[in-house]
Amino acid sequence: MRPGPRNLITDVNGLRVGNAEDAVLKSGVTVVTADAPLAASVAVMGGAPGTRETDLLAPDKSAPGVDALVLSGGSAFGLAAAQGVMESLHAAGRGFSVLSARVPIVPAAILFDLLNGGDKGWVVSPYPALGQAAIGAAGDRFALGSVGAGCGAQTAMHKGGLGSASLVLDDGVTVGALVAVNPMGSVTTPSGRHFWAAPFEIEGEFGGLGVDPVPSIHLPASRKVSAMAGLGNTTIAVVATDAALDKAQCHRMAVAAHDGIGRAILPAHSPMDGDLVFAASTGARALDAPGAQLAGIGHAASLCLSRAIARAVWEATPAPGDTLPTLKDELGRG
């Protein structure tokens, strides 16, 4: 396995990602879309999720595909970003056809970033407009770090962010991950100088800090708890592939991808996190041995997600009013 040419989820041909954020708000939105509907499902393993339209993604539900997937800050307010995305898609003639009506299918998930030092005193919710801006910016290249849904994200010890990574499997299948990293847990080991995801790093993609030579399971006191009373968590992600998967197979891919969260964040899947992974397929590449290949796709998705989580934190940048430092600044590599 090797990274795709961009080392982004958009190495899955046909996918596009757009970001929009507000630096004063310290929050934003990220959208994944494609020119045709995507087969998709979801797996939720955190205790405090915030979602929209996820019931449609169960294998026994009738919705044939999704037009976009939304990751947003803003807690429950951020779910309104999907409305802005729906309006843009509807204007473009996209959506599930019901006789003369057309309804875009736009599942969404949110993270809590309301206590991160940004100005949240809005009168009219900013999230529908951010959703429209994000899908309007969608393309095959996009920024990482303090952008989109990761704009105001925080981990236990450092600023979080938006991350992505990809792999091309030996059979030619491409798998990618996109994640907004805002967990209760820590992405770095207790020394603060190494990533838990270090064993999976490829070509120094998140700093080449290496594996901690003195690993420990005794985590230091969370800076996030001190700064914001332990509130404001959740890691939300999209994993995707060009392999032709149905909704049930996408669900298995999403479940497997959650291992990537568990390998990269300690602790993960807590009662105070809403950890969620969407899985999507463009359906472009038929599988010769679906059972065996699906196992490899799930494994690749988990590796991509671990790497994307570390990249999100590594690429974070400082901003006025931040309550936590970036890892690069703390290491003197900002």
Side-chain angles (χ1 to χ4, degrees):
M1 293 188 290
R2 65 189 187 282
R6 304 179 188 92
N7 199 18
L8 299 172
I9 194 172
T10 48
D11 286 327
V12 176
N13 191 41
L15 291 188
R16 292 178 284 118
V17 172
N19 290 321
E21 62 282 328
D22 183 321
V24 175
L25 183 70
K26 285 188 182 294
S27 189
V29 175
T30 298
V31 176
V32 180
T33 190
D35 290 335
L38 301 163
S41 192
V42 67
V44 182
M45 298 187 76
T51 60
R52 169 172 166 156
E53 297 273 52
T54 50
D55 282 355
L56 289 173
L57 302 181
D60 64 329
K61 300 302 185 291
S62 60
V66 304
D67 297 291
L69 295 165
V70 174
L71 308 179
S72 180
S75 188
F77 298 104
L79 294 174
Q83 184 64 35
V85 174
M86 282 186 69
E87 290 172 0
S88 293
L89 289 167
H90 186 261
R94 292 288 302 275
F96 180 61
S97 179
V98 185
L99 299 178
S100 62
R102 193 167 289 276
V103 183
I105 306 299
V106 184
I110 51 86
L111 56 82
F112 187 108
D113 59 3
L114 299 180
L115 302 176
N116 63 359
D119 181 2
K120 305 304 194 295
W122 64 74
V123 176
V124 176
S125 172
Y127 290 99
L130 285 168
Q132 287 187 319
I135 195 165
D140 60 7
R141 295 185 181 274
F142 57 95
L144 303 181
S146 303
V147 295
C151 174
Q154 299 176 315
T155 76
M157 307 305 288
H158 304 96
K159 283 191 74 171
L162 187 80
S164 191
S166 70
L167 285 170
V168 180
L169 283 62
D170 293 342
D171 59 10
V173 168
T174 300
V175 176
L178 175 74
V179 61
V181 182
N182 187 61
M184 183 192 79
S186 178
V187 176
T188 51
T189 64
S191 71
R193 305 189 65 82
H194 302 272
F195 286 104
W196 290 114
F200 313 110
E201 185 175 16
I202 300 175
E203 297 176 353
E205 61 193 338
F206 40 88
L209 304 177
V211 176
D212 195 327
V214 188
S216 171
I217 61 172
H218 299 290
L219 301 177
S222 169
R223 292 172 176 163
K224 190 174 186 178
V225 169
S226 300
M228 44 199 297
L231 300 173
N233 304 308
T234 292
T235 298
I236 47 178
V238 179
V239 293
T241 182
D242 58 357
L245 305 184
D246 60 23
K247 288 169 73 173
Q249 291 167 323
C250 283
H251 177 69
R252 293 311 313 168
M253 181 185 180
V255 170
H258 268 283
D259 287 352
I261 296 177
R263 293 169 182 153
I265 301 170
L266 267 68
H269 304 141
S270 80
M272 287 77 74
D273 285 284
D275 294 346
L276 172 150
V277 178
F278 291 115
S281 164
T282 65
R285 182 180 291 270
L287 299 182
D288 299 320
Q293 287 177 280
L294 182 59
I297 290 167
H299 174 55
S302 71
L303 295 177
C304 286
L305 188 46
S306 285
R307 294 163 50 223
I309 288 167
R311 291 191 81 192
V313 173
W314 184 245
E315 297 297 338
T317 53
D322 284 349
T323 58
L324 292 179
T326 66
L327 177 60
K328 279 184 178 178
D329 276 357
E330 193 156 74
L331 297 178
R333 296 175 64 172

